[in-house]
Amino acid sequence: MTLYEGKTGCAYKVRELSMEEGLMRRLQALGLNEGTGVRVLNRKRKGALILYVRGTRLAVGKHISAHIEVDPEEDER
């Protein structure tokens, strides 16, 4: 599934980033790498998502989140 399809409040693990090289490198520099845990905090109008990644909040648009493949993360305790 893609991150865009994710539900608010749920945690996911990034499986694959499939987008333009420059954009992918920028996201990786911000800590969004394959295997990274991500939590969807909020969903804004027009498809933007607010994410919690490695201790910080990150906003990504629909065109970006639709190209990030994720798997649901196991429940924490």
Side-chain angles (χ1 to χ4, degrees):
M1 76 185 282
T2 66
L3 188 56
Y4 181 72
E5 298 167 331
K7 295 183 173 142
T8 302
C10 294
Y12 301 95
K13 186 169 280 198
V14 177
R15 181 172 11 117
E16 181 183 5
L17 300 171
S18 57
M19 60 194 65
E20 171 191 321
E21 185 71 24
L23 180 56
M24 185 167 56
R25 286 181 190 242
R26 178 65 177 144
L27 290 175
Q28 289 171 340
L30 292 170
L32 196 63
N33 301 307
E34 293 177 11
T36 300
V38 174
R39 181 174 299 275
V40 178
L41 297 178
N42 202 354
R43 193 174 280 279
K44 297 291 187 179
R45 297 181 114 175
K46 299 186 181 180
L49 297 178
I50 308 298
L51 309 173
Y52 185 76
V53 181
R54 296 186 184 225
T56 191
R57 292 185 331 169
L58 177 66
V60 295
K62 178 182 178 181
H63 65 284
I64 295 174
S65 62
H67 291 93
I68 300 173
E69 292 289 327
V70 295
D71 292 318
E73 203 166 76
E74 301 297 321
D75 288 339
E76 301 133 12
R77 298 180 209 180

